[in-house]
Amino acid sequence: MDKIIVTRKIPQPFIEQLEALGQVEMWDESLIPMPRAQFLDAIKDATACFITLSEKIDEEALEAAPNLKIIANMAVGFDNIDIDLVNNKGIIATNTPSVLTETTAELGFTLMLAVARRIVEAEKYVQNGEWQSWGPYLFAGKDLSNANVGIYGMGDIGKAFARRLKGFNTKIMYHNRSRHEDAEKELGALYVPFDTLLEHSDFIICTAPLTKETQNKFNATAFKKMKNDAIFINIGRGAVVDEQALIAALENGDIAACGLDVLREEPIDMKHPLLAMANAVIVPHIGSASVITRNRMIQLCVDNIRLVLNNLHPKTPIK
Ligand code: GLV
C-alpha cells in the first residue's frame, strides 16, 4: 500500500482524496513545519510526499526515502528541492505554476501601492492616535502614474504584474534571462540590460526565482545604481537580495523604500533591522494566499500525486 506524507495540515476533503490512494500521514499543524527529524523518519517508507517550501529535499532526505516516487511541492518556486539529485534518482517532483499567477501578481501590486502611498505608516499613525489635522504633505508618497516600472523576472507572474500596470499609464521595462517578445508586443514592455533597469526605474519589482544566476542579484552595486527615490518590491525569493546591502541602501538614501513578501530567513528574526524601518513594509510570504488559489494549489498537488501513483504523467512536473 502506498504511504503518502503530508507535511502541513490541509483540509479534510483533500485528505480524503489522498486516502483513496493509500495510507496518509499528515502533520497536524498548519503554521508550524514538521520537525526535520520527524520528516526524515516519516519518509522512510513513503511513496509520495506533499511538501511545502519549508521542507528541504536534499541528499539526506532522499537517502532516507528509498521508495519515494513523487514529491509534490505546494509552491511554484522549488529552490527547496535539489532537483538534479531528484531527477538522478528517477523521482518525480512537481510544483504549482499557473494556478497562483494572478494572485501573486495582485499581492505584488498591493505591496507596491502600499509602499508608494505609505499605507502601513499612515495606518499606524491613525491607530496611535497621532492624527491631528489634514497636512499638505502628511504621508505624501509617490505616484505610480507615468512612472517607469522595471520588472526583474518576466515569467508568468512578471507578465501578470505588467498587465496590471496598463491602467496606470506607466512605462514598462524588464530584464530576464531571455527576451519575451510576446510580452513586448502585448504589454509594450521594453527589454533592457539589468543596469538600465536599475538606473531608470522608479519602481523595481523582482519576481525572479532563486537560482545560481539570481542569487544576491540585488546587491550593494545594484542598489547604488538605482534612483534615490526608487521603490523596490520583492515577491520572488529572499536570497535574490543581499539584505545587508538593502538595509544600507535604505539607511543611506540610495533608494526610498521597499516592500518584501520574501526574506532570506523566514520567519524573520524579530531583531532584524528592516523591522525598525518605517520605509520597509514586510509581509509573511503570502503572495499566493487567497483561499481559492491555495485550494487550487493543494488540489494540483493531490492530482499530481494521484497521477504518479497510477503510473501516469503528472500535470506539472518540474523540468
Ligand atoms: C511561493 O513562494 C511559491 O513559490 O509558490
Side-chain angles (χ1 to χ4, degrees), residues 69-125:
K69 292 186 186 157
I70 165 150
I71 300 161
N73 196 35
M74 188 187 159
V76 64
F78 51 86
D79 47 286
N80 54 323
I81 299 176
D82 185 334
I83 199 68
D84 292 336
L85 214 54
V86 166
N87 286 340
N88 286 343
K89 292 203 180 271
I91 298 169
I92 293 172
T94 62
N95 64 345
T96 58
S98 308
V99 291
L100 50 60
T101 302
E102 304 299 328
T103 306
T104 308
E106 279 177 20
L107 189 275
F109 224 90
T110 307
L111 206 43
M112 180 173 66
L113 287 175
V115 174
R117 299 303 301 272
R118 305 175 60 185
I119 293 299
V120 175
E121 280 177 89
E123 202 268 344
K124 281 188 189 150
Y125 179 85

Side-chain angles (χ1 to χ4, degrees), residues 285-301:
H285 206 145
I286 52 171
S288 60
S290 73
V291 175
I292 286 184
T293 292
R294 288 289 161 87
N295 284 341
R296 287 186 180 139
M297 290 165 73
I298 295 174
Q299 186 61 56
L300 186 49
C301 291

Side-chain angles (χ1 to χ4, degrees), residues 3-7 18 25 39 42-43 46-52 55 57 61-62 65 68-74 91-94 301 305 309:
K3 177 174 163 192
I4 305 159
I5 303 301
V6 181
T7 64
L18 291 172
E25 190 178 312
F39 174 63
I43 55 173
T47 37
C49 70
F50 176 128
I51 61 165
T52 69
E55 281 74 48
I57 302 295
L62 294 172
L68 208 52
K69 292 186 186 157
I70 165 150
I71 300 161
N73 196 35
M74 188 187 159
I91 298 169
I92 293 172
T94 62
C301 291
I305 290 173
L309 293 184

Side-chain angles (χ1 to χ4, degrees), residues 115 254 262:
V115 174
D254 293 332
V262 286

